[in-house]
Amino acid sequence: MSIRARVRDGDPAAFEELFDECARSVYNHAFRLTGDWTAAEDVVSLTFLEAWRLRGRLDADGGSVRPWLLGIATNVARNLRRAARRYDDVLVRLPRSEVVPDFADELIGRIDDVERLVAIQEAYGVLRCQEQDVFALCVWSGLDYAEAAEALGIPVGTVRSRLSRARKKLEKLAERRREPPPGRRQVDGDRGPAVRSAKEDDR
């Protein structure tokens, strides 16, 4: 019996195998979507809980169960982001208290990839939700069009068109960021004049 059929039947051993095989992939996908290690761990836990709850909807015939899991993880991550936004909205309305330095902030600041991740998240944020889902599954998690379509429950043609729109938007954004700001030019190797002090200007 295939692992799909065993998962569908609620076989605990099959779910253990599924977790061992796919947990890392789900975590990586969740981290790219959320940009947060803790949130990604929450997504993994909730994804497998949802997979157990929704196991009866899984088609017993087919290939890897990974696209199905990543589709669930995509929805879970979106719901967590919505909940986080609602929570942030509530915090904004509360009276402000003195900010206490958090060692975690200092630790995160030492990680080289943080700035890169922030830039990726900013670019990713210009896409519509449906485009984000397709981009994350196809580009970041490496699913093909058919697998992404299975994960999201949409036609393959819709996956193609959404991914095409997402790539075009990101290409335009990259082009705009490469363009120098208007009215500001700098010659390589000649940064001195740009950082002259006020005293030098008064001479």
Side-chain angles (χ1 to χ4, degrees), residues 7-165:
V7 167
R8 182 184 177 92
D9 291 344
D11 181 355
F15 257 83
E16 185 176 347
E17 290 177 27
L18 188 63
F19 183 87
D20 291 341
E21 179 183 343
C22 297
R24 174 55 59 181
S25 179
V26 172
Y27 176 84
N28 290 339
H29 180 63
F31 179 64
R32 294 183 186 111
L33 292 177
T34 63
D36 182 271
W37 287 271
T38 302
E41 290 173 355
D42 291 341
V43 170
V44 173
S45 300
L46 292 172
T47 293
F48 282 93
L49 285 174
E50 276 292 280
W52 176 262
R53 186 177 69 84
L54 300 173
R55 63 189 183 278
R57 301 183 186 179
L58 179 63
D59 191 345
D61 299 321
S64 171
V65 188
R66 181 169 167 261
W68 179 66
L69 282 175
L70 293 183
I72 294 174
T74 300
N75 291 329
V76 168
R78 183 187 299 121
N79 291 336
L80 285 181
R81 287 198 301 268
R82 288 173 180 166
R85 282 196 295 268
R86 288 195 294 267
Y87 178 74
D88 290 341
D89 290 342
V90 171
L91 288 183
V92 168
R93 299 187 185 98
L94 295 177
R96 297 199 175 194
S97 58
E98 183 179 353
V99 177
V100 179
D102 186 352
F103 176 74
D105 292 338
E106 179 183 350
L107 181 62
I108 292 174
R110 296 174 184 173
I111 300 175
D112 294 336
D113 289 340
V114 168
E115 290 185 3
R116 177 172 171 268
L117 177 61
V118 169
I120 291 173
Q121 288 291 323
E122 288 177 356
Y124 183 70
V126 307
L127 305 178
R128 295 182 176 180
C129 290
Q130 297 92 336
E131 295 166 349
Q132 289 178 350
D133 295 345
V134 170
F135 185 87
L137 290 170
C138 291
V139 178
W140 286 343
S141 292
L143 298 191
D144 60 29
Y145 294 134
E147 290 172 331
E150 177 189 351
L152 298 173
I154 58 178
V156 172
T158 303
V159 172
R160 290 178 182 272
S161 60
R162 288 179 181 176
L163 184 58
S164 176
R165 287 197 301 268

Side-chain angles (χ1 to χ4, degrees), residues 181-195:
R184 294 183 62 185
R185 295 183 179 178
Q186 181 175 307
V187 179
D188 291 342
D190 185 22
R191 300 186 62 179
V195 295

